[in-house]
Amino acid sequence: MLDLRTVRAGARIGRRLAVSPAAELVHVTRLRHVDGAPIALEHLHVPADLVPGLTAADMEGGFYAICASGAASARPTRCSPSSRPS
């Protein structure tokens, strides 16, 4: 994990998550590896009220492990990957 911080949703992400642009989100940036080589930079935005008190140490096992453990107040039901040009 490269970064974990609280940010405001803003217009674009707020629309995607169906939350107010002023809503607080936890933003996690991770560098993904395959066979020890970096292959992707991943950004995760989660409404802060769904993961109260989330820490970098919590993310060691991955976000879905947090959800499965019951530490998050929601469970993922679908994934909608998106990309945008830099």
Side-chain angles (χ1 to χ4, degrees):
M1 188 181 66
L2 302 175
D3 188 39
L4 184 147
R5 59 192 158 116
T6 302
V7 299
R8 298 286 178 193
R12 183 179 60 84
I13 294 172
R15 268 192 312 277
R16 297 293 300 260
L17 294 179
V19 299
S20 163
E24 286 193 341
L25 304 178
V26 173
H27 176 230
V28 177
T29 304
R30 298 191 291 184
L31 184 60
R32 308 301 281 188
H33 295 83
V34 171
D35 295 330
I39 62 156
L41 188 61
E42 178 181 67
H43 295 273
L44 175 67
H45 294 89
V46 181
D49 60 339
L50 298 180
V51 287
L54 183 70
T55 67
D58 295 331
M59 289 296 296
E60 292 291 322
F63 181 69
Y64 293 108
I66 292 167
C67 293
S69 75
S73 61
R75 294 189 184 265
T77 58
R78 71 175 193 264
C79 178
S80 300
S82 67
S83 62
R84 67 169 204 241
S86 298

